[in-house]
Amino acid sequence: MEKWSFAIDNEKLIQLVLEGKKVATTYLYDVKEIPTIEEESILCYNDKTKACIVKTKDYKVMKFKEMSQELCELEGEGDLSLSYWKKVHLDFFKSLDKSFNEESTIIFEIFELVQKL
């Protein structure tokens, strides 16, 4: 089973997952990282200990500019607004890829908490 962590604010975001407030994540598009529906993975804390098992329920490959209010709320972050989501994610993605912009492709993944560890 794959192990992973959130790229920023990992401990805080794991807490949101454990509380049931975060059921989605977004990452840069990479054809090698297309999620598999119903696949389970282990979300880990910064010290590599296991936090929980999550299962992929759905995903969307889309342009950054196509993010909607409805989808960003599933991430459960900040004030749940689209403007907050865009600012935080645009800053982060640009730190990884200087050419990232509103036309860039992202993967939006919806998951469910299967088990707290």
Side-chain angles (χ1 to χ4, degrees):
M1 196 176 307
E2 179 188 351
K3 295 179 184 175
W4 62 283
S5 300
F6 295 107
I8 55 173
D9 296 329
N10 186 52
E11 305 283 320
K12 178 181 171 186
L13 297 182
I14 287 174
Q15 189 58 42
L16 291 174
V17 171
L18 296 176
E19 292 170 3
K21 296 176 182 174
K22 181 172 181 63
V23 295
T25 191
T26 306
Y27 42 98
L28 292 173
Y29 173 77
D30 181 339
V31 71
K32 297 179 295 255
E33 292 187 24
I34 299 291
T36 303
I37 304 296
E38 297 297 315
E39 184 173 74
E40 293 184 353
S41 59
I42 300 170
L43 183 53
C44 295
Y45 290 108
N46 291 341
D47 66 1
K48 308 296 185 216
T49 59
K50 299 171 184 174
C52 59
I53 297 173
V54 295
K55 181 191 301 185
T56 300
K57 298 308 294 173
D58 197 8
Y59 71 90
K60 298 178 185 320
V61 176
M62 58 198 239
K63 301 278 186 209
F64 184 85
K65 69 179 184 181
E66 296 172 336
M67 177 55 72
S68 69
Q69 177 64 42
E70 177 185 38
L71 292 179
C72 81
E73 288 176 6
L74 297 176
E75 290 216 28
E77 300 173 29
D79 64 3
L80 304 180
S81 70
L82 183 56
S83 60
Y84 174 88
W85 184 93
K86 282 192 169 192
K87 165 99 176 78
V88 170
H89 287 80
L90 190 59
D91 289 349
F92 176 66
F93 292 149
K94 280 188 173 193
S95 76
L96 299 175
D97 176 359
K98 300 292 185 221
S99 66
F100 187 87
N101 60 61
E102 293 267 336
E103 295 293 326
S104 297
T105 304
I106 57 173
I107 299 174
F108 180 81
E109 181 177 342
I110 300 169
F111 56 81
E112 72 177 8
L113 177 62
V114 174
Q115 179 182 359
K116 296 177 183 181
L117 301 173

